[in-house]
Every structure is written in C-alpha cells, then in structure tokens.
Amino acid sequence: MAFGHGKVILLGEHSVVYGRPALAASLGKGVRARAERAEQDRLEVEPWAVSVTPAEASDEPLARAFGEVLAMYEERPKLHVRAAVELPGGAGLGCSAALGVAVLRALDETLVVDRDREALVEASMTWERVFHGNPSGVDNAMAAGAGMAIFRRGEPLEAVHVAEPVHLVIGHSGAPGSTKTTVAEVRRQHEREPERVERIFDGIASLVRNARLAVEAADWPGLGKLMDLNQALLSSLMVSTNELEEMCGAAREAGALGAKLTGGGGGGCMIALVDDDETAERVRDTLAEVGSDAFVVRAGA
Ligand code: PMV
C-alpha cells in the first residue's frame, strides 16, 4: 500500500513561499492508496465518497490533478486508484500533497516505475499546483516522509535531529481554510507594502532558526515562546481568524507552552505545544470544545 504523510509546519508558513526557511514535521497520519488495472481510469477517495475520471482541462481540481499525473506515464494500462484519507482536508495539514504523493506512489508501484524521492516530490508538485497555484513545495517534501526538517524553496531538505518527538495537540477550528486564498492575500500585501512584509518574513526566518536550536536541545518552553511570536507575526499578515486566535489563547490558558495556526490559515488547524500527557489531554479537551475537533500527535520522530 502506498502512503503519503500529512505534515505540520511548526514555524515558517507563508514566508516559506518567499524563500525563507520553514520548520516542518511529517505526521504518522496521511493518505493510503492502491492502484490496479481496470477498464477505465478512475480515482476514488474515501471517506469523501468522491470518484473522478481524469480530465486535464476540468474545473474539478481532483479530476484535473489526476489527469495531469496520469499524463506523465507513457503507454500504460487503464488504472483504478483507491485512496483513503486519514486527515481533514483544507485544514493546513498538507492533505492535498499527501494525496498526490500517495497516488503517485501507487501508480509507480503498479507500473513498476522506479523513481527516487526527489523525482517523486518533483512529480507531485504538478498535482499540488492544481490546488495551490504557487506552492512552496514544503507539503510535498514532507508528504514523502522526512521526520523533522528545515525546508527552503528549491533546496534539498535539511534533516533536523530531534532529541525527542515534539508533543503537540492539533486543533481544528471547524472552518475550512483556503491556502490559495491566504497565499494570494499575503501576495497583495507584499505588492502594496514590500518593506513591511519583507521585515515580517525576516522576523519569521529568525524565529525558525532559533526554533531549530530549541528542538535540537529539547528546550520546549523556548520553542513554545517562538511559536507564540510566529503566531503574532502571522496575525499581522492577516492570515489568522478570530476562531484560531481564540483557540490559541484557550490552549495557552490550559497549560500549552505555545500555540499558533499551522499551514495556510484563514481557518483550518492550529497547533499547541505541550510537555506532558496530562496537559496534552487538558489542552485537547479544551480545543475540542472551543473548536470542532482536536487530537494529540508526536511529530518529527
Ligand atoms: O495549508 P497547507 O497545508 O497547504 O500549507 C500551506 C503552507 C504555506 O506556506 C502557506 C503555502 C506554501 O506553499 O508553502
């Protein structure tokens, strides 16, 4: 069974689109997929109950992405791909990239195509562009499975040595977040006020560098403070929402060491850093109440 990992961005979303580093971790949850010969090309995605035939010119993103990916294979039989998604979609957890990587891996397995990791990530960018327009590539790199890493656009991933897995609670606000929309919003601000926005990106880049050191030293209070600062800078880019702010505040009050949105924002998920099981449970219960859902993960192992 082919697999694509979900991911969390610990720090650095949005500025990563403009060449700054991001600190990200692959999740154990993701997308599983299997391909088999069939009479017709088809992609089925559960539990969404979605079934599409490939169409490169379609308005339906999934049909278009599937069509573009299939077009990369010369001379092949018709294929039926079944995918099972374990992540909320449109939530900042890299669901579309995980699906793209899982589908490509399933096709490669069935067609006996040998592709190294870098080529897989590159091929999955074709898929991701259908959903996000101008993706940095961080989701795709992490979907291929990378533990914890520093990602910088166009550069190889830098593995981060994690002293211990990072203990996080992921809270879903219940509102869908459109990464395409928030990335476009940041672009508008960057065009209008390049100096202000570049300063914010530089600020985030220095938080990311310090966060890497904090993770390597297992300095969780330090990492939590850096996450809070990153959240303040993301709010100033107007990609946060009232719900996400409320959830971050509630998580801190319940004992989290730091909290911020993760991924595109404008809805979707936030993450809270915790340092023991009891706090993790309390924060999870609080976030499930304030938002729509919450679960505990250990990321970056
Ligand atoms: O919302 P997600 O999971 O696709 O994460 C997006 C991360 C951004 O930095 C906002 C966009 C990107 O392409 O890196």
Side-chain angles (χ1 to χ4, degrees):
M1 184 75 87
F3 190 66
H5 296 259
K7 65 93 195 43
V8 281
I9 296 182
L10 285 164
L11 289 94
E13 47 277 272
H14 288 290
S15 42
V16 72
V17 176
Y18 297 79
R20 294 344 187 258
L23 179 62
S26 299
L27 294 175
K29 282 184 187 239
V31 179
R32 280 166 219 287
R34 187 155 35 94
E36 60 194 15
R37 287 163 197 258
E39 303 219 320
Q40 196 191 15
D41 287 327
R42 178 168 293 282
L43 170 63
E44 268 178 47
V45 187
E46 293 299 344
W48 302 344
V50 168
S51 173
V52 296
T53 51
E56 279 175 81
S58 172
D59 285 342
E60 211 297 295
L62 208 53
R64 194 158 93 234
F66 187 43
E68 291 194 10
V69 156
L70 281 178
M72 292 177 189
Y73 298 84
E74 285 165 18
E75 283 198 32
R76 56 166 184 86
K78 301 261 187 244
L79 292 162
H80 188 160
V81 183
R82 288 187 177 83
V85 176
E86 305 166 340
L87 297 165
L93 302 181
C95 186
S96 59
L99 183 57
V101 164
V103 167
L104 273 158
R105 277 187 168 148
L107 294 170
D108 284 356
E109 267 173 32
T110 303
L111 299 173
V112 202
V113 172
D114 194 17
R115 212 195 285 259
D116 67 15
R117 193 198 152 79
E118 218 173 294
L120 170 74
V121 171
E122 187 47 45
S124 72
M125 287 296 282
T126 302
W127 172 284
E128 191 67 354
R129 276 185 207 105
V130 173
F131 295 92
H132 287 340
N134 177 29
S136 65
V138 60
D139 290 13
N140 301 65
M142 302 312 292
M148 188 169 301
I150 291 279
F151 172 88
R152 208 188 259 270
R153 195 168 194 156
E155 289 181 18
L157 277 181
E158 255 177 76
V160 172
H161 175 70
V162 187
E164 295 165 33
V166 181
H167 203 166
L168 296 172
V169 185
I170 300 181
H172 196 321
S173 65
S178 163
T179 300
K180 209 169 187 169
T181 307
T182 54
V183 167
E185 166 60 30
V186 172
R187 181 158 307 280
R188 264 194 301 279
Q189 290 179 51
H190 190 256
E191 276 163 14
R192 258 193 330 255
E193 300 170 90
E195 277 166 32
R196 176 184 76 91
V197 175
E198 284 287 322
R199 261 201 311 275
I200 294 174
F201 291 161
D202 287 340
I204 296 175
S206 74
L207 297 178
V208 169
R209 281 191 288 274
N210 284 304
R212 177 196 190 145
L213 300 177
V215 165
E216 285 172 340
D219 171 10
W220 308 128
L223 180 63
K225 286 199 192 89
L226 294 163
M227 287 166 62
D228 287 345
L229 291 168
N230 193 171
Q231 174 61 17
L233 292 176
L234 287 165
S235 300
S236 73
L237 290 172
M238 290 185 289
V239 295
S240 190
T241 63
N242 290 340
E243 286 95 355
L244 288 167
E245 293 295 334
E246 203 188 324
M247 289 172 80
C248 290
R252 291 181 198 116
E253 258 171 52
L257 298 169
K260 62 180 278 294
L261 68 85
T262 190
C269 287
M270 48 72 70
I271 51 174
L273 179 70
V274 291
D275 64 353
D276 62 71
D277 291 337
E278 206 179 302
T279 314
E281 273 174 38
R282 198 167 53 241
V283 170
R284 184 196 57 208
D285 293 348
T286 302
L287 290 177
E289 219 168 276
V290 180
S292 71
D293 192 14
F295 54 98
V296 178
V297 296
R298 286 178 194 266

